[in-house]
Amino acid sequence: MNYTLFKDFLQMLEQFETETQFSKSYPGTVQGFKNWICDHQTDDRASEEPYWEGKENGRTAESAINTLLVHLNRYAKSYSKSAISDSEFSTQEDFIYLINLKAFGEMTKMELIKKNIHDKPAGMLIIARLLRHGWIEQHDSEADKRSKIIRISEAGRIALEQQMKKIRQATHIVAGNLTHKEKMELIRILNKLDRFHYPIFSRNIHPENLIETVYSEHL
């Protein structure tokens, strides 16, 4: 018997159990162990530059990133549409607004709109729709009487809870076959992009000047 190989195998198995005992990313099965080994081999190749469609013809990485983000957004919307197909929600924005109000508490209309990266007209339409359904409530702001403070209503909580199982399933599907480590790395990268873009978005730069302004200031 090759005892060195057996010893290496036991050390690897111990590492697998240590890394996964508090995580559900890999089941404690032979298949889970095989997936863990495969993903660790993938990590070793992560430093290699990936291929993207059109690369051989000079297509840039920035072009590939833009296209892939657009595609992923469309995939996510299709799953969200399925999650609310049997409900009174009209769009995914309806339940996303409610989720934000439930998670972060009451806020002004503009704070909610900004949090969801919408312009004011689109955001006000969503808020008006939620008010018509009775899913949110509003009252005057004590700090600024011109502003309205909105919060999720009990009816809104009920409507949201009725769909949460499917909404959670949709979010799991969007993450696809990424490993736990890949999910953490993706969150880190997307957070970095979000921190770059959100201050620019918050400035409300006119569309005619947006690209020129951002390109001259940052790139």
Side-chain angles (χ1 to χ4, degrees):
M1 177 181 287
N2 188 338
Y3 289 100
T4 301
L5 178 61
F6 185 64
K7 182 179 179 181
D8 290 342
F9 170 77
L10 287 178
Q11 288 178 339
M12 186 178 293
L13 184 60
E14 183 180 6
Q15 183 183 354
F16 166 72
E17 292 181 340
T18 300
E19 290 186 11
T20 60
Q21 63 179 331
F22 300 116
S23 170
K24 296 182 179 179
S25 298
Y26 301 94
T29 62
V30 172
Q31 186 59 47
F33 184 45
K34 289 165 64 177
N35 291 340
W36 178 82
I37 294 173
C38 180
D39 290 337
H40 274 62
Q41 291 175 334
T42 301
D43 291 341
D44 295 337
R45 299 192 299 268
S47 60
E48 299 177 10
E49 187 173 278
Y51 171 80
W52 58 84
E53 187 176 11
K55 183 179 182 181
E56 67 278 9
N57 297 320
R59 187 185 185 199
T60 65
E62 291 80 9
S63 174
I65 290 170
N66 273 271
T67 298
L68 290 171
L69 287 175
V70 169
H71 287 181
L72 286 169
N73 180 54
R74 290 173 180 165
Y75 299 146
K77 281 189 173 182
S78 68
Y79 295 124
S80 294
K81 186 176 181 180
S82 176
I84 61 174
S85 60
D86 60 346
S87 73
E88 294 185 72
F89 290 113
S90 300
T91 67
Q92 67 173 356
E93 282 77 17
D94 291 358
F95 69 77
I96 290 174
Y97 271 48
L98 291 182
I99 288 174
N100 277 317
L101 287 172
K102 181 180 178 181
F104 300 106
E106 63 180 26
M107 62 186 79
T108 67
K109 291 181 179 181
M110 285 309 302
E111 286 172 340
L112 181 59
I113 291 170
K114 289 288 187 181
K115 184 173 286 292
N116 288 280
I117 319 299
H118 278 137
D119 56 29
K120 184 176 180 179
M124 293 302 286
L125 285 174
I126 297 167
I127 290 172
R129 188 161 58 242
L130 296 178
L131 282 168
R132 285 199 303 271
H133 281 286
W135 292 336
I136 60 175
E137 302 166 340
Q138 64 178 352
H139 60 87
D140 292 333
S141 169
E142 295 181 1
D144 183 358
K145 296 300 182 182
R146 297 170 299 177
S147 298
K148 294 288 187 180
I149 302 294
I150 55 177
R151 60 171 173 253
I152 187 171
S153 67
E154 184 59 29
R157 291 179 184 275
I158 293 172
L160 187 60
E161 188 57 36
Q162 288 174 342
Q163 297 303 124
M164 279 309 298
K165 180 180 178 180
K166 286 189 174 182
I167 291 171
R168 292 190 184 100
Q169 289 174 334
T171 60
H172 281 286
I173 293 172
V174 171
N177 58 349
L178 295 180
T179 67
H180 176 76
K181 186 173 182 179
E182 288 169 336
K183 291 173 187 176
M184 298 303 102
E185 180 64 11
L186 182 58
I187 290 172
R188 186 190 67 78
I189 293 172
L190 293 176
N191 272 335
K192 183 176 181 178
L193 278 174
D194 188 65
R195 287 192 295 269
F196 173 83
H197 290 292
Y198 187 76
I200 297 170
F201 169 79
S202 299
R203 290 166 61 185
N204 295 314
I205 302 172
H206 194 279
E208 290 183 359
N209 305 319
L210 180 59
I211 291 179
E212 182 179 352
T213 301
V214 176
Y215 205 88
S216 63
E217 290 181 358
H218 298 279
L219 302 176

